[in-house]
Amino acid sequence: MDIRLLDLQSPLLSTIHHLMDTTDEAEKSFNAPTRTYVRDAKAMASTPADVKEYPNSYVFIIDMPGLKSGDIKVQVEDDNVLLISGERKREEEKEDAKYVRMERRLGKFMRKFVLPENANADDISAVCQDGVLTVTVEKLPPPEPKKPKTIEVKIA
């Protein structure tokens, strides 16, 4: 078919063009991050942590100034993901006071850590002292070395 015979304003071409545009928009919205993902990513980025490895444990250290133990959650998901989360809420405002400047972070925070294979997810402790949360995950004992198996040789 000769391209010169096609009318550029034809219903066929406009329908094809519309379908191609719709596919691009659907693909963009499908690939776009969800609100939950964006919120969680911001919460994780705003929660710095130090992680130390000792001979018998892993220690996670996170600054939590001004938070009570009830504001902090420490959980294990999927048997190997340590989840530390919580929320810092705004103080009750007094009637005669107004903020001149607000710089302290408010809102939700969260960090996830994939635990190593030798971490004991059943032996975790958490202590918050002087605004510093310390989560200790004990290590599993090293596996016993396998003893060689002796197989009796039979004479036929």
Side-chain angles (χ1 to χ4, degrees):
M1 178 168 154
D2 190 358
I3 191 88
R4 291 174 285 169
L5 297 176
L6 286 177
D7 178 14
L8 294 179
Q9 300 300 323
S10 74
L12 176 64
L13 282 178
S14 79
T15 303
I16 292 172
H17 184 66
H18 176 70
L19 286 173
M20 290 173 67
D21 286 348
T22 305
T23 303
D24 288 345
E25 289 172 16
E27 190 174 301
K28 284 178 189 173
S29 66
F30 181 72
N31 291 332
T34 63
R35 280 188 185 168
T36 304
Y37 174 82
V38 171
R39 184 194 68 222
D40 289 352
K42 285 181 181 177
M44 288 179 69
S46 67
T47 309
D50 295 337
V51 181
K52 295 180 181 179
E53 181 178 6
Y54 291 98
N56 297 320
S57 65
Y58 296 97
V59 177
F60 301 82
I61 304 165
I62 300 175
D63 290 336
M64 303 273 174
L67 290 177
K68 298 177 183 83
S69 62
D71 298 332
I72 304 168
K73 271 201 235 178
V74 178
Q75 301 170 303
V76 177
E77 295 180 335
D78 303 327
D79 295 328
N80 72 334
V81 178
L82 178 67
L83 172 67
I84 300 170
S85 63
E87 184 173 8
R88 180 174 287 121
K89 298 176 183 172
R90 180 175 293 176
E91 296 173 357
E92 298 271 332
E93 291 187 32
K94 296 181 181 175
E95 291 179 25
D96 58 343
K98 67 176 182 175
Y99 281 101
V100 176
R101 177 178 292 184
M102 288 181 64
E103 294 183 355
R104 297 185 305 157
R105 285 187 195 260
L106 300 173
K108 295 185 179 192
F109 61 87
M110 174 183 58
R111 280 305 297 265
K112 288 184 178 185
F113 304 93
V114 176
L115 296 173
E117 288 183 20
N118 66 341
N120 186 352
D122 296 325
D123 192 2
I124 298 176
S125 62
V127 176
C128 193
Q129 182 177 359
D130 298 330
V132 178
L133 175 67
T134 304
V135 179
T136 304
V137 181
E138 296 298 326
K139 289 183 176 179
L140 293 169
E144 294 288 323
K146 290 190 174 183
K147 297 177 183 173
K149 183 178 178 181
T150 305
I151 299 169
E152 181 182 339
V153 178
K154 296 180 182 176
I155 300 176

